[in-house]
Amino acid sequence: MSPLLPVLAAIQEAEHGASAGPFAVNPGLIIWTWIVFIALFLVLRRYAWPQILKATEQREQKIADQLSQAEKMNTEARTLLEEQKKLTAEARNAAQTMLAEAKAVMEKERAAAIEKTKAEQEALLERARREIVAEQEKAIAELRREAIDLALGAAGRVIGQRLDADQDRKIVMDYLSKVETTH
């Protein structure tokens, strides 16, 4: 239809005999322009407009679906973020609890080790004391024997004869026992 416009313009120019300027009013051209516009409008309305409207509605529906899907994903992301925060807090609390329990166990073990060491030290000291007492008693017994031997030797020289060793020892031991009980 657009090829008709130059032809119409040429026909009108021939009728009037003079070339029309851009601002000249030409009623025939106006009528034909309206006819072409209306025909083009009806053709576009019949064939193109439904396709354009359908494509626009599909695009609107697609955008609406994408927005709802984005909102859904945003909600899920927020839920997952909250859940992750909760799990992180629980893990942190569990770790702190485990550390506290480990410290308590360590303190118990340390206290038990200290008690065991103290008990071993006490046992060692007690054994050393017993050994010292035993050695002391042994030394005292040895000193008594030597003192008895010396006393008997000295008494034998004073008397000038040798006394019976077993009987003399018994007399001296009885005497020393009486002296010990009085002191």
Side-chain angles (χ1 to χ4, degrees), residues 18-177:
S19 72
F23 297 109
V25 177
N26 189 345
L29 184 61
I30 292 173
I31 291 173
W32 281 107
T33 303
W34 274 102
I35 291 172
V36 170
F37 175 75
I38 291 171
L40 183 62
F41 177 75
L42 291 175
V43 169
L44 287 176
R45 185 174 164 204
R46 172 92 171 118
Y47 297 108
W49 188 257
Q51 295 298 325
I52 293 171
L53 198 57
K54 182 179 175 184
T56 304
E57 288 174 354
Q58 287 176 349
R59 183 174 173 110
E60 284 178 6
Q61 183 62 36
K62 185 178 178 182
I63 290 171
D65 291 344
Q66 288 176 346
L67 284 174
S68 66
Q69 187 177 9
E71 185 66 33
K72 181 182 174 184
M73 292 175 83
N74 190 16
T75 305
E76 286 178 19
R78 286 182 184 157
T79 305
L80 290 174
L81 179 64
E82 290 298 321
E83 185 177 327
Q84 188 266 341
K85 284 181 181 179
K86 188 189 329 179
L87 289 174
T88 302
E90 287 175 3
R92 188 174 291 126
N93 289 340
Q96 288 176 350
T97 303
M98 289 173 65
L99 282 174
E101 289 175 359
K103 284 181 182 178
V105 168
M106 181 185 69
E107 287 297 322
K108 286 180 183 177
E109 290 294 324
R110 191 174 128 234
I114 289 172
E115 287 298 319
K116 182 180 177 183
T117 304
K118 283 182 181 179
E120 288 174 358
Q121 286 176 343
E122 289 296 323
L124 186 62
L125 284 173
E126 186 61 33
R127 187 174 45 145
R129 286 182 188 132
R130 284 189 304 233
E131 288 176 2
I132 289 171
V133 167
E135 288 295 321
Q136 187 179 17
E137 288 174 359
K138 195 181 201 184
I140 289 172
E142 186 67 30
L143 282 174
R144 281 184 186 164
R145 268 186 252 124
E146 286 183 24
I148 291 171
D149 288 342
L150 286 175
L152 288 176
R157 284 189 185 210
V158 169
I159 296 178
Q161 65 180 16
R162 180 81 180 139
L163 300 173
D164 181 13
D166 290 334
Q167 191 176 11
D168 293 340
R169 276 178 207 232
K170 185 176 180 191
I171 293 170
V172 173
M173 290 293 273
D174 289 340
Y175 175 73
L176 287 176
S177 296

